[in-house]
Amino acid sequence: MLLSDLITTLLLICSLPFFLAGTLGLLRFPDLYCRLHALTKADNLGLGLVVLALMIQADSWQVVIRLLLTWLLVLVAGATVAHLIARKAQQDGHQPWRR
Amino acid sequence: MSVVTFRWSRFILRLGGCLFLWWVLTGGRASSWIIGVPTIALALWVMEAAPQTHPWRISFAGLLRFIPYFLLQSLRGGIDVARRAYSPRLPLDPQIIDFPLNLPPGPAQVFFLNSVSLLPGTLSADLNGTTLKVHLLDHKIDPQLDQLETRVAALFKCSLRGGDD
């Protein structure tokens, strides 16, 4: 087993808990705002680790840039959509959950 | 009406960017340029024709300083929210705070809004004029938004309103 394969495997394994955390947060967190936190931050980190793992396996640097662009687009889309949903919720008067 | 000026330096930069992007996306296959060339021409035309309300520049040094900071904060943010999602006690104590924005309207502000949502425990919820409502997962979190704002201002080469008044 090559060292690069080992690093890829490790990164992919590390990404799994974050994807799971995103979904777990979506199910467990008490209100819309908290769920948005889980979806944006945990999934972005999970995807970032997957992208990093695949970059190591890339044959050409065009693939590396393509992977990087994929991550950046998801990052921008995720943050923008989260903001739009939160803004709509604010304007509709959704009160955040309090302990 | 804004005055539309044609600048060769800007045009060549955009052309180069488009050619590079297409080449990266298609792997440089010769047949792909049949679609690529008209698409790039159309994109360049749209960029020239669309009115630019907020001209902006990015500082290269600011970008180099922002990337590691952003990656580290993303990592911290992901770990923080994952820890809360897994914990049986569900350690959340949310609060909405008002943050007075000092960045000028335009791309810098949009960039700031999106960055806030990727930092640990903060989510940009609503923008009213110059006041940003930020949702905190836990009111004990120190959001460090001033620091982020300074970094974004350095990245976009703009000054913060509070600073030079």
Side-chain angles (χ1 to χ4, degrees), chain A residues 17 20-21 24 28 30 33 37 41 44-45 61-62 65-66 69 71 75 79-80 83 86-87 90 97-99, chain B residues 20-21 23-24 82 85-88 90 92 94 96 113-114 117-119 121-126 133 135 137:
Chain A
L20 186 63
L24 209 60
R28 290 191 72 205
Y33 303 103
H37 280 273
K41 295 190 238 310
N44 282 340
L45 184 52
W61 58 270
Q62 284 167 315
I65 298 175
R66 229 180 287 169
L69 284 176
W71 185 56
L75 222 63
T80 308
H83 172 70
R87 188 173 73 173
Q90 275 285 302
W97 174 86
R98 302 294 298 268
R99 184 168 285 281
Chain B
F20 178 73
L21 193 62
W23 185 64
V24 162
Y86 284 119
S87 169
L90 213 59
L92 301 171
I96 288 197
L113 252 63
N114 277 348
S117 298
L118 295 168
L119 255 50
T122 53
L123 178 78
S124 61
D126 196 9
K133 284 198 185 303
H135 183 264
L137 266 186

Side-chain angles (χ1 to χ4, degrees), chain B:
Chain B
M1 277 300 291
S2 61
V3 186
V4 181
T5 49
F6 184 82
R7 285 216 317 267
W8 276 104
S9 59
R10 194 175 60 191
F11 179 77
I12 288 168
L13 203 68
R14 285 171 172 175
L15 177 65
C18 285
L19 288 172
F20 178 73
L21 193 62
W22 187 265
W23 185 64
V24 162
L25 289 177
T26 59
R29 268 186 297 278
S31 58
S32 77
W33 293 104
I34 298 170
I35 299 168
V37 171
T39 309
I40 291 169
L42 195 66
L44 289 172
W45 177 73
V46 169
M47 280 192 269
E48 272 317 316
Q52 229 189 350
T53 44
H54 300 287
W56 53 287
R57 302 174 61 189
I58 279 191
S59 139
F60 188 65
L63 185 66
L64 284 186
R65 272 197 295 270
F66 191 82
I67 291 171
Y69 165 79
F70 179 79
L71 289 178
L72 185 68
Q73 294 295 315
S74 304
L75 188 69
R76 283 185 51 211
I79 292 171
D80 172 72
V81 82
R83 186 181 59 80
R84 291 174 200 275
Y86 284 119
S87 169
R89 291 181 299 106
L90 213 59
L92 301 171
D93 201 349
Q95 190 187 16
I96 288 197
I97 59 163
D98 288 334
F99 180 76
L101 265 181
N102 291 312
L103 285 167
Q109 219 176 56
V110 173
F111 189 88
F112 177 77
L113 252 63
N114 277 348
S115 303
V116 165
S117 298
L118 295 168
L119 255 50
T122 53
L123 178 78
S124 61
D126 196 9
L127 180 65
N128 288 315
T130 58
T131 306
L132 180 67
K133 284 198 185 303
V134 179
H135 183 264
L136 296 180
L137 266 186
D138 192 329
H139 68 81
K140 289 186 285 292
I141 293 171
D142 175 19
Q144 295 182 326
L145 295 178
D146 297 314
Q147 203 197 352
L148 177 64
E149 207 175 28
T150 313
R151 283 173 185 273
V152 173
L155 178 60
F156 282 87
K157 291 184 176 174
C158 54
S159 55
L160 296 171
R161 211 190 349 249
D164 49 15
D165 270 359

